[in-house]
Amino acid sequence: YAISEGVVYVDQCNANWQAVQIDITGWKIIESNDLPVKFTRSSTSRPLPMPQRGGNINLLWDNINLPDTDLRLLVIAWLLECMRPNRPYPLMEIIGEQGSAKTTFAERLRELIDPNKVNSRAAPRAVEDIFVSTRNNHIISYNNLSHLSASVQDALCTLSTGGGDATRKLYTTTDEEVFEAMRPVILNGISQLATRPDLADRTIALDLPRINTYVPEQDLKKKWEEDQPLILGALYSLMSKVLAEMPRVRIDKPPRMADFARLGQALLNVMGIDDSFTDIYSRNRDQVVTRAIDASPVAQAVITMLNDTGDFNGTKGYLMECLDNYKPKYFDKLAYPKTVRGLGDSLRRIAPALRVRNIEVLEDKKRHKDGYRVAIKKMKPDASNHDSKTTIEI
């Protein structure tokens, strides 16, 4: 994918090096000689089918398991955002019990954007593997995950909003190999995967229902092969209309993924849907962040303490002593800080998630004689989105 002067170009990855050109007037197939940009391909890339006109984006729902209307809008917006390179991307988390067609769902999304010889990969063995994969993939897709380590979740945060990694170049002692990228990411598994609040804040979560009636794989594949060109044509037509609409879209209070929210609102406008995309996106994000609270023993301890004793105002050392009395009965001991400094790091990480629950965490940056101080207080529900610079006497 490439953008030049507001025009989106999609490499078809076919032998003739044809591409789709999408602008505010529509889309068309162009030959390689007419391309103002250059594409690189990996050995694992597969060609996209030639898009066809006359299709409808609703054909997509005949091929994937997603009945919820709001979630469908998030998926379409995510697919369109994947076609705009070099920008922050929300991470797509697909979960559901066995038999909910999670893998098929993930593969269908990738086949519309970045088909590959292996659409879904096994869990990365190391953080370095994640960034190496960006050299040969536009979409990074991991299948059948059961757990993501803290370091992997941090790496996915970096990949979502931009950053990189460096490692020693092979056969050298001092040279570095640097990997820098922003990529769309798809994760699928049975249970929630984005458990750290900073990753949850970047995540679209889809909880798929179980399928009660199964269709033979051969029939599913045949249906997809018939519909995919029409879905692509409809997707490109939507992209054209969204490109034309986006300059007119203004969002007063954009969420963290502001570009994505703006594209999503343009999508709703061109589809004639009278709703706020930011509200739809924020509701989903808040659900993910709330799940992250359930996975954090520090957040659970803070909430239990506030419910029992009320607001807290004191040093971090004293807070650590207090929280010892409110730890969950069962929790991952590796996820609980062992030092006051570690507690401070945990508080900063969970602060956005606690804010969703109307709890504000404010740290005093100045060291006092008794140490660094912190204030934790409940907010009124209508004040949950107030400026984080609001002061509390500490």
Side-chain angles (χ1 to χ4, degrees), residues 74-174:
L74 290 173
V75 167
I76 298 171
W78 185 84
L79 288 169
L80 295 177
E81 189 73 324
C82 288
M83 296 164 60
R84 301 198 299 163
N86 302 321
R87 64 188 59 250
Y89 300 101
L91 180 143
M92 179 69 73
E93 179 193 77
I94 304 168
I95 62 173
E97 63 177 285
Q98 183 178 350
S100 56
K102 300 180 298 294
T103 299
T104 299
F105 193 113
E107 289 183 348
R108 295 293 187 259
L109 294 188
R110 178 156 190 181
E111 285 173 357
L112 290 171
I113 302 295
D114 181 34
N116 195 275
K117 289 182 180 177
V118 182
N119 279 326
S120 297
R121 312 292 175 89
R125 290 184 293 272
V127 168
E128 178 184 334
D129 296 338
I130 297 174
F131 289 98
V132 169
S133 66
T134 65
R135 291 290 179 91
N136 298 307
N137 298 270
H138 178 57
I139 289 181
I140 310 301
S141 182
Y142 295 116
N143 183 45
N144 198 27
L145 302 176
S146 57
H147 171 74
L148 293 176
S149 68
S151 60
V152 167
Q153 292 197 54
D154 286 343
L156 293 176
C157 282
T158 300
L159 195 60
S160 171
T161 51
D165 190 31
T167 185
R168 182 175 64 83
K169 186 179 290 187
L170 290 177
Y171 311 116
T172 69
T173 55
T174 59

Side-chain angles (χ1 to χ4, degrees), residues 219-243:
D219 294 345
L220 290 173
K221 184 177 180 181
K222 181 180 179 182
K223 170 69 173 171
W224 177 246
E225 289 174 350
E226 292 173 353
D227 289 349
Q228 188 183 3
L230 292 167
I231 296 170
L232 281 172
L235 198 63
Y236 297 157
S237 295
L238 272 177
M239 187 63 174
S240 171
K241 295 174 183 177
V242 165
L243 291 174

Side-chain angles (χ1 to χ4, degrees), residues 22-38:
I22 310 171
D23 58 26
I24 62 174
T25 65
W27 62 268
K28 63 181 180 180
I29 304 295
I30 61 173
E31 303 299 326
S32 59
N33 293 336
D34 299 323
L35 271 172
V37 297
K38 295 184 182 296

Side-chain angles (χ1 to χ4, degrees), residues 1-4 7-10 39 80-89 138 182-184 239 259:
Y1 292 83
I3 292 182
S4 177
V7 179
V8 175
Y9 296 92
V10 184
F39 290 107
L80 295 177
E81 189 73 324
C82 288
M83 296 164 60
R84 301 198 299 163
N86 302 321
R87 64 188 59 250
Y89 300 101
H138 178 57
M182 281 187 288
R183 293 288 189 273
M239 187 63 174
D259 285 348

Side-chain angles (χ1 to χ4, degrees), residues 236-299:
Y236 297 157
S237 295
L238 272 177
M239 187 63 174
S240 171
K241 295 174 183 177
V242 165
L243 291 174
E245 178 66 18
M246 283 189 68
R248 295 188 285 271
V249 173
R250 296 289 182 270
I251 299 177
D252 293 334
K253 295 181 179 179
R256 180 172 197 159
M257 295 291 186
D259 285 348
F260 175 66
R262 190 159 160 257
L263 178 144
Q265 188 59 55
L267 172 66
L268 264 59
N269 292 352
V270 301
M271 294 181 73
I273 299 174
D274 184 17
D275 203 345
S276 165
F277 184 84
T278 299
D279 289 348
I280 294 172
Y281 176 48
S282 296
R283 286 195 296 269
N284 182 266
R285 185 196 58 191
D286 289 351
Q287 290 175 4
V288 184
V289 171
T290 299
R291 287 184 346 200
I293 290 177
D294 295 337
S296 168
V298 174

